[in-house]
Amino acid sequence: MRALRPATAVALLLTGVPLLCAFAGPLVAPLLPVTSGAGALMPPGPGLPLGTDALGRDVLVLALTGGTTVVLLTLGTLALAYLVGIPLGLLLSATRRRWAALLTQRTLDVVLVLPSLLVLLILAGTGRRGVGWLLVVTALLQLPAIVRIVRGAAGAPARRVALETMTQNGEPWWRIHLVETGRFVAGTLLVDAGTRAVLVLTLLTSASFLGVGLPPDTVDWAVVIEQNSASLFLAPYALLVPAGLLVALAAGANLLVDRVADRTGAVV
């Protein structure tokens, strides 16, 4: 059995700990002893290994239960963005109607130049809050870049020879431009997905800091950070633990992307 390289081991550790907390934490949290009567901003002690936060909640329980929404929202946003962006990018790359491709791309470029946080603030200002709106708008903000990457990778010079050969062999249009070209761009998209996951994670957490993300009663790492932002010196663990888990998840994802890129030779 081949031993893991140090960089791979570090990447798996950084990614694995937050993901383990996100998915297994809610199952472990109810098994922890309940400390009743604990006040706000209590230091670590018996029954409270990480103390309490500004609202009197056990920081350890928050760390174990606050990652599920972060991870699921990030994965849901990426899935929605790529489910729309990949077919659209492949179609724009394959179409012979260049005016239609140019018009579509320029329309998407309008979204590309919009400040992401400003869009979320406008959304909140119009009363459109909630997980569904946050997921859809965050995915929409990723769409222009994804379409550009798919078009660029699908139209690479090395790919054109293969497309001409398949066309001469009588392969159907959908198989050439959707299936086979989709496989060709998969490596590049995998690398992009890892980097984009960090961007989405940052945007989602920033939305919570601004009060336009998840409801304030949601047990979520980003929301917990926002609620304890003024308590760094009184209850540092309430801020540093969820922040450390978010940073570890982002850093681990980037390292894993680098390892995949090294193995596949894909570049963005």
Side-chain angles (χ1 to χ4, degrees):
M1 184 176 179
R2 182 182 298 179
L4 290 176
R5 293 184 179 183
T8 304
V10 171
L12 291 175
L13 179 63
L14 288 175
T15 310
V17 171
L19 290 180
L20 186 63
C21 290
F23 293 113
L27 302 177
V28 176
L31 304 178
L32 298 176
V34 178
T35 303
S36 59
L41 305 176
M42 295 292 292
L48 294 169
L50 297 178
T52 62
D53 75 338
L55 301 180
R57 300 171 297 184
D58 189 338
V59 174
L60 179 58
V61 173
L62 295 177
L64 292 174
T65 58
T68 307
T69 52
V70 174
V71 174
L72 290 182
L73 266 178
T74 302
L75 293 177
T77 299
L78 290 174
L80 181 59
Y82 282 107
L83 282 174
V84 177
I86 293 175
L88 183 57
L90 292 174
L91 288 173
L92 293 181
S93 174
T95 184
R96 295 180 180 179
R97 298 177 180 177
R98 291 299 154 189
W99 63 269
L102 183 62
L103 179 62
T104 304
Q105 189 66 66
R106 292 298 172 264
T107 303
L108 290 173
D109 287 345
V110 175
V111 180
L112 185 63
V113 299
L114 291 176
S116 300
L117 292 179
L118 178 61
V119 173
L120 292 177
L121 285 171
I122 293 174
L123 183 72
T126 57
R128 292 174 174 84
R129 296 173 179 263
V131 174
W133 280 106
L134 182 63
L135 189 149
V136 171
V137 172
T138 307
L140 178 63
L141 291 170
Q142 308 307 312
L143 189 59
I146 293 174
V147 172
R148 276 185 170 274
I149 291 172
V150 173
R151 284 192 68 191
R159 183 62 184 160
R160 294 173 187 169
V161 176
L163 293 179
E164 292 175 359
T165 302
M166 294 180 68
T167 301
Q168 292 174 359
N169 291 336
E171 294 285 349
W173 184 92
W174 62 269
R175 182 178 179 84
I176 297 173
H177 294 286
L178 298 182
V179 178
E180 295 301 329
T181 305
R183 291 177 181 175
F184 178 77
V185 303
T188 300
L189 289 176
L190 182 61
V191 176
D192 176 71
T195 306
R196 196 161 303 282
V198 178
L199 298 177
V200 170
L201 181 63
T202 303
L203 182 57
L204 292 174
T205 53
S206 299
S208 295
F209 297 156
L210 295 174
V212 297
L214 297 172
D217 58 347
T218 304
V219 180
D220 176 88
W221 290 337
V223 177
V224 170
I225 294 172
E226 189 275 330
Q227 291 171 337
N228 292 276
S229 58
S231 307
L232 175 60
F233 298 104
L234 297 175
Y237 292 113
L239 199 66
L240 297 179
V241 170
L245 290 169
L246 287 172
V247 171
L249 183 59
N254 269 328
L255 287 174
L256 284 178
V257 166
D258 290 341
R259 299 300 303 146
V260 172
D262 290 342
R263 288 180 175 273
T264 62
V267 294
V268 177

